[in-house]
Amino acid sequence: QQPVQSPQAVILREGEDAVINCSSSKALYSVHWYRQKHGEAPVFLMILLKGGEQKGHEKISASFNEKKQQSSLYLTASQLSYSGTYFCGTEIAGNQFYFGTGTSLTVIP
Amino acid sequence: EPEVTQTPSHQVTQMGQEVILRCVPISNHLYFYWYRQILGQKVEFLVSFYNNEISEKSEIFDDQFSVERPDGSNFTLKIRSTKLEDSAMYFCASGYSPGPRDFGPGTRLTVT
């Protein structure tokens, strides 16, 4: 029931764009996205609810395709501060919630 | 802006001892969680708590673990008889809908 993220790891140069995908085998009620920097607690980025909406947070945005049970996180014009591990979190029936497998993102100068 | 707080920030204990990790979630949140992260590994779910009872727990959350929300503000994780492999960072989190919205800074537990 753990959603699968792809890619597992990505290295970007500053200014490049990236897309992180999150795919679930279960019907989704909502999708959360988090970023965790090394040695710190995860930080909530955004939540997407059923309805296929797209949300933005600074230069980071996300989409939610309810029918495909997928969400994608878009990072544009990446900055060094974007480095970290990104997790999706999916809410399924019965108030159950699962973290994704994680994507390590490294931005280099 | 309200924050989730956790105490202590670092706890050292001897194997076999009991520890209680404390968390104060954000006051209007309804869903509460404990996660742990062993050094260098991914965040692992331990337990979720809603409406004054455990709503879900992982395989990790065995009989040596328990959670309580004793007074409507604190949320505690008790480990009855600690083992070396319990050494990890423990994160508390809370949310107003299913899914953790805000994480505390964590308690680093070291079992010697």
Side-chain angles (χ1 to χ4, degrees), chain B residues 13-64:
Chain B
T13 190
Q14 288 191 328
M15 198 166 50
Q17 295 295 304
E18 175 182 287
V19 294
I20 297 177
L21 310 184
R22 302 180 192 281
C23 168
V24 179
I26 292 172
S27 61
N28 64 344
H29 283 181
L30 303 174
Y31 297 82
F32 310 105
Y33 305 85
W34 282 101
Y35 294 89
R36 80 172 186 192
Q37 188 172 32
I38 295 170
L39 189 64
Q41 297 184 22
K42 293 181 179 174
V43 174
E44 299 175 290
F45 169 73
L46 291 177
V47 65
S48 58
F49 193 86
Y50 171 71
N51 202 25
N52 288 320
E53 62 182 22
I54 291 174
S55 48
E56 194 177 358
K57 58 184 180 180
S58 71
E59 292 175 352
I60 303 168
F61 195 88
D62 60 22
D63 291 344
Q64 69 161 341

Side-chain angles (χ1 to χ4, degrees), chain A residues 81-92:
Chain A
S81 61
Y82 287 4
S83 292
T85 301
Y86 289 78
F87 295 95
C88 65
T90 53
E91 181 197 351
I92 64 173

Side-chain angles (χ1 to χ4, degrees), chain A residues 34 36 41 44 97-99 101, chain B residues 35 37 42 56 99-101 104:
Chain A
Y34 307 85
Q36 184 180 26
F44 172 83
F97 184 88
Y98 296 93
F99 274 134
T101 48
Chain B
Y35 294 89
Q37 188 172 32
K42 293 181 179 174
E56 194 177 358
R101 169 65 173 81

Side-chain angles (χ1 to χ4, degrees), chain A residues 17-97:
Chain A
D17 302 340
V19 179
I20 299 171
N21 300 302
C22 173
S23 183
S24 174
S25 60
K26 301 280 186 181
L28 301 177
Y29 284 67
S30 69
V31 179
H32 299 58
W33 283 97
Y34 307 85
R35 175 172 62 208
Q36 184 180 26
K37 292 183 179 287
H38 182 69
E40 300 179 10
V43 172
F44 172 83
L45 295 176
M46 66 189 80
I47 180 173
L48 299 104
L49 305 176
K50 284 205 300 189
E53 66 176 293
Q54 184 150 353
K55 292 190 77 170
H57 178 80
E58 298 176 346
K59 291 182 181 177
I60 301 173
S61 62
S63 62
F64 177 21
N65 188 321
E66 191 181 327
K67 286 183 182 176
K68 290 187 177 180
Q69 297 163 189
Q70 293 175 345
S71 176
S72 295
L73 185 72
Y74 307 94
L75 300 102
T76 57
S78 57
Q79 306 167 14
L80 295 175
S81 61
Y82 287 4
S83 292
T85 301
Y86 289 78
F87 295 95
C88 65
T90 53
E91 181 197 351
I92 64 173
N95 289 342
Q96 295 184 67
F97 184 88

